[in-house]
Amino acid sequence: MLKVNEQITIQDWELTEQFVRASGPGGQNVNKVSTAVELRFEAERSPSIPGPVKSRLKRLAGRRWTKEGALIIQCDETRSQARNRDIARERLADLILKATIKPKRRIATKPTYGSKQRRLKAKKERGEVKAMRGRVKDE
């Protein structure tokens, strides 16, 4: 069981772990031991996560979200299988915690009168500079 916060707790049946061989340093051990972890969380079918949080989680997950609605987190940071497993679970909890934060709505504001005047003045000056370019006429 993975506790994200007071409201959200993920049950063990929602998580699937698969251990694969990791790349990187480790000598002969790398070729023998499956230390990297691939954590799969069935987010779409999860009863413990509310709908709005699921949609924000999907957006935050990006490529890690599958077509079936599962969230896949991979970790091969350390040589220890147990530590990689803990890191993957922490990452999942952090991602879900980020998804629980509701984004603030942007309040539309108008540009000030002064900023409009400064913009128009700058445009006029720039236009005058460009108008000076071009062929010189002989009279």
Side-chain angles (χ1 to χ4, degrees), residues 57-126:
L57 181 63
K58 184 176 182 177
R59 196 173 62 248
L60 282 172
R63 287 183 16 219
R64 295 176 286 188
W65 191 274
T66 65
K67 290 177 185 173
E68 296 84 40
L71 176 63
I72 297 174
I73 294 177
Q74 294 175 325
C75 180
D76 62 349
E77 282 183 18
T78 66
R79 295 184 197 179
S80 165
Q81 190 181 72
R83 184 71 189 116
N84 281 338
R85 186 173 179 238
D86 292 339
I87 291 170
R89 285 174 173 257
E90 286 170 19
R91 284 184 190 167
L92 176 63
D94 289 343
L95 199 63
I96 294 170
L97 204 57
K98 280 183 189 173
T100 58
I101 299 166
K102 190 175 180 183
K104 286 185 181 178
R105 280 196 66 222
R106 185 186 175 279
I107 299 167
T109 57
K110 287 183 178 179
T112 62
Y113 178 76
S115 69
K116 286 182 186 176
Q117 296 303 313
R118 285 190 297 275
R119 183 180 65 84
L120 292 172
K121 184 180 174 222
K123 280 173 69 78
K124 192 165 189 69
E125 286 174 1
R126 189 73 187 138

Side-chain angles (χ1 to χ4, degrees), residues 39-57:
L39 182 69
R40 185 181 181 94
F41 170 54
E42 300 296 334
E44 198 70 52
R45 297 187 297 151
S46 175
S48 55
I49 297 180
V53 176
K54 280 183 191 175
S55 61
R56 286 194 290 268
L57 181 63

